[in-house]
Amino acid sequence: YTWPALTNGHDRLFVTASRDGARIVAVVHNSSTGAADVAVFGPDSGTPIATTSLALGMPVVGIDLSADGGSLLVSADMALRVIALPSFAVRYTAQPMSAVFHAQAISGDGAVFAIGRMGRVDVFRRNASGAYAFAFSHTLAGTNYCDRLDVSDDGSTLVAGFDFNDTNLKVVVD
């Protein structure tokens, strides 16, 4: 697949696949529009089954696809989206007040997602009505940022990697 838009040779290209390989997603920052161009593929074709552009206001910093391939979490420096695939229906959108780093994760069924920030991880859970709501924050004392995350398929376990930027000599995994 060749993206129809120019990307200016930057590294804002992301790919991911569902656990069973039935759904493949690629996201690239479109330099001409500033949007995140999303393409969803099946396992046997280089032609997307669905495409869209997400106006996030800034370049994407990371994506994560639920194991079942039904939910895509897209994060930018100051924007979040959880979208249903392949319909692209928006399940959650936010413009957080603090920067998002390269840390985002979504559970296997898309019911739980987490976002890394300065000194903390914010966790959101989908409620009975299907809307996401803030569940809790996991914080770590010191001058640090959460730079890597993962959530177990069943949403019960969160692992977070924090980089300390006071001396740049310490990493903590919780």
Side-chain angles (χ1 to χ4, degrees):
Y1 180 71
T2 300
W3 292 98
L6 299 175
T7 63
N8 278 346
H10 56 68
D11 66 347
R12 301 297 176 132
L13 170 66
F14 303 90
V15 294
T16 187
S18 60
R19 246 353 142 248
D20 65 2
R23 180 152 300 149
I24 299 163
V25 178
V27 178
V28 66
H29 174 70
N30 183 327
S31 299
S32 60
T33 66
D37 289 345
V38 181
V40 180
F41 301 88
D44 299 321
S45 174
T47 302
I49 60 173
T51 62
T52 194
S53 289
L54 298 175
L56 300 172
M58 58 221 44
V60 173
V61 295
I63 66 171
D64 198 20
L65 181 65
S66 61
D68 66 7
S71 298
L72 179 67
L73 171 60
V74 179
S75 63
D77 291 328
M78 299 289 278
L80 306 173
R81 301 286 184 281
V82 177
I83 56 176
L85 295 179
S87 70
F88 298 117
V90 176
R91 291 184 170 163
Y92 181 81
T93 185
Q95 302 292 127
M97 296 307 293
S98 65
V100 172
F101 291 91
H102 302 270
Q104 59 282 313
I106 195 163
S107 65
D109 64 358
V112 176
F113 74 88
I115 298 294
R117 309 237 174 129
M118 288 296 296
R120 76 180 201 258
V121 176
D122 290 339
V123 178
F124 296 78
R125 197 173 295 279
R126 196 166 50 213
N127 59 31
S129 68
Y132 286 97
F134 176 78
F136 67 91
S137 283
H138 171 70
T139 60
L140 189 64
T143 307
N144 63 70
Y145 58 96
C146 181
D147 193 50
R148 297 291 185 256
L149 279 172
D150 205 3
V151 175
S152 63
D153 279 353
D154 69 359
S156 68
T157 304
L158 169 74
V159 61
F162 291 88
D163 286 331
F164 279 72
N165 52 346
D166 48 1
T167 62
N168 293 318
L169 298 176
K170 183 176 170 183
V171 173
V172 172
V173 177
D174 280 354

